[in-house]
Amino acid sequence: MRLKANKALGRSLWVYLCNTGSCNGCDIECVALGTSRYDVERLGVKIVGSPRHADVLIVTGPVTRKMEPRLRMIYEQMPDPRFVIVAGVCGMSGGMFYDSYALAGPIDQIIPVDVYVPGCPTRPEAVIHGLSLLLEKLEKMES
Amino acid sequence: MSRSITPYQTSIGPTHPAFKEPIQLVFDLCGETILKANFAPGQAHRGVEWMGTRRNPVQVLYLAERLCGICGITHSLAFARAVEQIAGIQVPPRAHYIRSIACELERIHSHLLWAGVAAHELGFDSLFYLTWRARERVMDLMEAFTGNRVHYALIQIGGVRRDLSEDMILKIKETLDYYAGVYDELRTCLLEDSSVRLRCRDVGILTATEALELCAVGPTARASGVPSDIRRDHPYAAYADVEVTSVLPNQYTGEIRGDVYDRIVVRVLELQQSVKLIRGFLDQLPEGDLLAIPKIMVLLAKLKKAEGEAVGLHEAPRGEVAHYVRMGGAETIAAWKVKASSYSNYMSWVPMLVGEQVADIPIIAASIDPCISCTDRVMLTGGGRNEVWTKEDLTRLSVAKTRRIQAKLKAEG
């Protein structure tokens, strides 16, 4: 995976996590990515604290109305080329919260999305799979 | 020569994904010292309570679970307890025990998660990895038991949906032995380490009077010497059959100061308490049914006729959770109000933060365990300054303070 990232992007993937009003389930699972069991740093993936440093934005949550402008702002702060992964089913379709009055989502109506990772919540393994799918997509775009 | 410093305002957040009230913290600062603290919740409002009134009680259970991604049992149990009271459903004893075992396993996972995040906020990342490695054991166990790592879907109105097999009991016992084994290591790292002690001792103090006045709950209140614990004060599920004592910090340190260190002490001691409680539950686990009304259509028909109102209480890892439910003889519930534990604890931030330094904001904010991941962006405005601080900047400040203290320690020998 690290080799792939170097080939397709010229560098390792740096990831920024953004919560748009999720229940915290997917967020904790995404934080667990960086800890010893899953350890994505061995694949060159680093979780960073600022969107300005990130190549990939992992978005969780169904996007509440208050968070919509902030999600746009975070996306605009990222340098090109930028990619978006949606983690969790509520960001894809609203999921459990489909009929809420407070939602501006799903995420793909607000910012362009590259990879969808389903699950309620997503497993850390599934997010790693999502990252590798993103790299495959990049490779295809190159060739 | 004295220079006057212009006070300025700082806001942290609001990309703060706490479960129902993500928060923007606003501070009046003078140099590095906090003069005034305030907060503005509401960014992750999803309208869950309103959505609940459009669904039947069994569907609401799964919605309640998704109020919070850390407490998978907490909200569904509190909601189920309220509905059971309204409809007069008697939960079988074995289900009570399984519920209590799951609650305590959840407490272990939540406290370890918190300990890791707190260590991270202090700039002590190796401790973060150590606690989260230990946490994966209980996550595996919950997955083997319920089929999911986070939202367990274990609670049903009138009982539980899964039984504990002999194999599973053996697995739980193995996991408990593991935690009993690593407990001393965790305790030494979290409580005996001198840099942790220096960063947390006498920082973010909440006195017992303030805790009572501001209605703090759970470990936040107990660390200030208020022995409130729903498991002890209003026993439910199987908690009446075992001895539950309120964990207070003086059981370890001999005194109560109500600071961040005391809040770590309470949570570490509660890890040990949970292991002991689960062992007690497993020893007494009765045989019998899992559900009062196994057929879901019969259950729904009974709930359709139920009328009345009730409050379901539960001691979550973060403190008391209360669900108010009213049912009016319809298919859906008539009203639903959720009071989460962090909601009660937010107000205690104000006395904790006033007079402290900016570098201590992360650990004090984290010390009440507010479903963290907060502190994304700090905007400094006023006095001609307008800069943006990221969470990284804050963490850097925090790490730098730990390094300074460590260097000082070394110099002192």
Side-chain angles (χ1 to χ4, degrees):
Chain A
M1 191 163 153
R2 183 189 273 166
L3 285 175
K4 270 190 196 167
N6 288 340
K7 218 169 139 193
L9 198 67
R11 58 175 182 267
S12 295
L13 288 179
W14 281 17
V15 173
Y16 178 74
L17 305 175
C18 174
N19 178 325
T20 61
S22 89
C23 71
N24 243 354
C26 299
D27 301 273
I28 303 285
E29 296 292 76
C30 289
V31 174
L33 279 180
T35 57
S36 37
R37 165 78 68 90
Y38 303 99
D39 193 17
V40 286
E41 283 191 27
R42 76 201 141 98
L43 307 169
V45 177
K46 193 179 174 206
I47 297 171
V48 294
S50 166
R52 291 180 200 277
H53 301 161
D55 306 300
V56 183
L57 177 67
I58 296 185
V59 192
T60 60
V63 193
T64 58
R65 286 192 195 286
K66 270 200 170 178
M67 289 305 293
E68 187 200 352
R70 281 165 186 131
L71 178 62
R72 277 184 214 280
M73 208 166 87
I74 286 168
Y75 182 70
E76 279 157 15
Q77 282 176 358
M78 289 173 69
D80 271 328
R82 54 196 168 185
F83 311 100
V84 177
I85 296 180
V86 171
V89 79
C90 60
M92 293 160 60
S93 63
M96 204 49 136
F97 314 114
Y98 70 96
D99 58 348
S100 170
Y101 56 81
L103 300 190
I107 292 162
D108 53 11
Q109 312 239 325
I110 298 165
I111 53 173
V113 175
D114 296 282
V115 176
Y116 298 90
V117 183
C120 187
T122 56
R123 297 176 59 87
E125 292 95 328
V127 181
I128 297 176
H129 180 60
L131 285 164
S132 67
L133 281 179
L134 175 70
L135 291 172
E136 270 174 33
K137 198 174 162 184
L138 284 178
E139 272 187 343
K140 271 183 205 154
M141 275 160 66
E142 277 231 318
S143 57
Chain B
M1 195 180 83
S2 69
R3 259 192 310 170
S4 67
I5 306 166
T6 325
Y8 55 98
Q9 211 176 49
T10 295
S11 84
I12 298 182
T15 322
H16 175 303
F19 100 87
K20 252 179 94 61
E21 298 93 13
I23 239 166
Q24 183 174 18
L25 288 163
V26 184
F27 300 105
D28 283 359
L29 298 172
C30 188
E32 278 276 308
T33 315
I34 300 163
L35 298 178
K36 205 175 121 191
N38 201 356
F39 57 88
Q43 275 80 12
H45 176 77
R46 278 161 283 152
V48 170
E49 288 161 353
W50 176 81
M51 274 187 274
T53 58
R54 291 156 59 93
R55 302 182 189 185
N56 74 42
V58 174
Q59 288 169 329
V60 173
L61 269 181
Y62 304 105
L63 191 60
E65 219 165 36
R66 279 152 183 85
L67 279 165
C68 178
I70 303 172
C71 322
I73 300 286
T74 298
H75 292 285
S76 49
L77 176 57
F79 176 78
R81 288 194 66 219
V83 174
E84 282 153 12
Q85 285 173 51
I86 296 170
I89 297 170
Q90 283 291 329
V91 178
R94 191 175 172 87
H96 270 322
Y97 271 77
I98 294 176
R99 281 177 174 191
S100 304
I101 290 168
C103 287
E104 292 308 315
L105 286 172
E106 181 175 277
R107 200 177 312 277
I108 293 177
H109 121 73
S110 181
H111 282 355
L112 283 173
L113 182 149
W114 176 83
V117 175
H120 176 67
E121 303 289 359
L122 286 173
F124 201 164
D125 269 356
S126 40
L127 185 53
F128 168 52
Y129 298 133
L130 183 78
T131 48
W132 278 52
R133 191 186 67 193
R135 174 177 170 264
E136 285 295 333
R137 282 294 289 258
V138 71
M139 299 296 278
D140 287 348
L141 179 69
M142 286 310 268
E143 188 180 5
F145 175 28
T146 67
N148 204 358
R149 278 165 59 89
V150 177
H151 296 307
Y152 311 118
L154 179 70
I155 309 286
Q156 173 63 289
I157 291 165
V160 290
R161 291 177 60 236
R162 281 171 202 272
D163 197 6
L164 278 178
S165 63
E166 284 300 318
D167 282 356
M168 196 51 66
I169 291 172
L170 218 63
K171 261 190 189 146
I172 294 178
K173 282 184 175 157
E174 272 171 24
T175 311
L176 293 181
D177 290 342
Y178 168 76
Y179 282 114
V182 294
Y183 175 76
D184 276 334
E185 191 187 351
L186 286 172
R187 185 184 49 97
T188 316
C189 292
L190 283 162
L191 299 180
E192 304 296 330
D193 187 271
S194 48
S195 46
V196 172
R197 195 187 285 256
L198 282 165
R199 277 304 305 274
C200 301
R201 252 301 174 220
D202 297 324
V203 169
I205 291 177
L206 182 75
T207 63
T209 332
E210 283 166 342
L212 281 171
E213 278 171 4
L214 298 171
C215 304
V217 294
T220 311
R222 292 197 279 276
S224 297
V226 180
S228 74
D229 192 327
I230 303 292
R231 293 174 295 172
R232 188 199 64 160
D233 303 338
H234 309 279
Y236 57 96
Y239 289 112
D241 300 350
V242 290
E243 199 192 326
V244 184
T245 47
S246 280
V247 175
L248 295 176
N250 59 357
Q251 291 161 9
Y252 184 77
T253 58
E255 56 180 340
I256 295 170
R257 294 203 203 172
D259 53 9
V260 174
Y261 185 80
D262 276 354
R263 290 190 271 280
I264 303 179
V265 170
V266 168
R267 292 199 175 87
V268 170
L269 294 185
E270 281 186 8
L271 283 176
Q272 199 182 28
Q273 184 193 29
S274 289
V275 170
K276 203 178 123 205
L277 284 175
I278 300 170
R279 285 203 171 125
F281 292 138
L282 286 174
D283 288 342
Q284 301 176 37
L285 187 67
E287 292 298 320
D289 293 335
L290 295 177
L291 286 163
I293 306 167
K295 286 214 168 75
I296 193 128
M297 295 320 284
V298 183
L299 175 68
L300 282 174
K302 187 178 168 75
L303 292 175
K304 209 171 164 179
K305 280 182 232 139
E307 273 183 67
E309 55 183 1
V311 175
L313 291 175
H314 168 58
E315 180 77 16
R318 291 169 181 74
E320 175 209 77
V321 164
H323 279 230
Y324 165 82
V325 181
R326 192 169 74 234
M327 289 164 70
E331 196 177 335
T332 56
I333 57 173
W336 180 27
K337 183 73 203 151
V338 182
K339 199 281 303 174
S341 32
S342 293
Y343 181 83
S344 304
N345 285 336
Y346 277 154
M347 276 314 288
S348 48
W349 264 338
V350 176
M352 277 180 204
L353 284 163
V354 170
E356 300 294 344
Q357 286 188 325
V358 175
D360 291 326
I361 294 174
I363 185 64
I364 297 175
S367 74
I368 69 161
D369 196 1
C371 293
I372 313 150
S373 158
C374 67
T375 339
D376 253 80
R377 199 167 299 107
V378 180
M379 178 86 85
L380 297 183
T381 54
R385 300 171 70 178
N386 197 347
E387 337 164 1
V388 173
W389 287 10
T390 62
K391 183 186 171 190
E392 278 182 336
D393 293 326
L394 273 183
T395 311
R396 203 166 50 234
L397 274 177
S398 185
V399 172
K401 190 169 175 186
T402 305
R403 297 278 178 277
R404 277 204 304 277
I405 285 172
Q406 279 170 343
K408 208 170 139 196
L409 265 183
K410 238 182 222 166
E412 284 167 4

